Amino acid sequence: MSDPRKELWHKRKQLGRSKYLILFGLLPWGIGLTIVTSVIEIISFRELNPVWIPIRLLVFFFIGFFVANARWHAMETRYEPYVRRP
């Protein structure tokens, strides 16, 4: 891993896993994709069905959690050799 990426990961790791999952998984994926799909629904159907909003939030929060969790573990495996290096 190059030095800028190592430093960036070091800063993000200091947030802690829970905060990382919220900031880089749940919020951008959950809220972001809910807004995007709602806008697409408004453009396509000229109306917004409010029943789908909590369902989208729930589904996209789960997706965001799994994506951020996978990224956390991937960066941990990349970062670990630099931590163990004397």
Side-chain angles (χ1 to χ4, degrees):
M1 184 180 333
S2 63
D3 286 337
R5 291 184 67 192
K6 183 176 81 167
E7 292 300 320
L8 179 64
W9 174 243
H10 182 68
K11 289 178 186 175
R12 288 184 180 172
K13 186 176 178 176
Q14 288 177 343
L15 289 172
R17 185 173 176 264
S18 300
K19 203 169 202 178
Y20 178 84
L21 290 175
I22 291 169
L23 291 175
F24 295 98
L26 298 179
L27 292 179
W29 284 86
I31 295 174
L33 285 177
T34 299
I35 291 171
V36 168
T37 55
S38 297
V39 168
I40 291 171
E41 181 183 5
I42 291 170
I43 291 171
S44 299
F45 300 114
R46 306 273 189 237
E47 65 179 325
L48 179 64
N49 189 349
V51 174
W52 284 102
I53 294 174
I55 296 169
R56 288 179 185 140
L57 277 172
L58 187 64
V59 168
F60 293 138
F61 276 155
F62 276 116
I63 291 170
F65 171 79
F66 289 117
V67 168
N69 195 34
R71 287 176 55 196
W72 175 272
H73 287 295
M75 294 305 286
E76 279 285 307
T77 56
R78 284 188 199 165
Y79 184 66
E80 189 155 343
Y82 291 100
V83 173
R84 292 185 181 209
R85 204 188 271 177

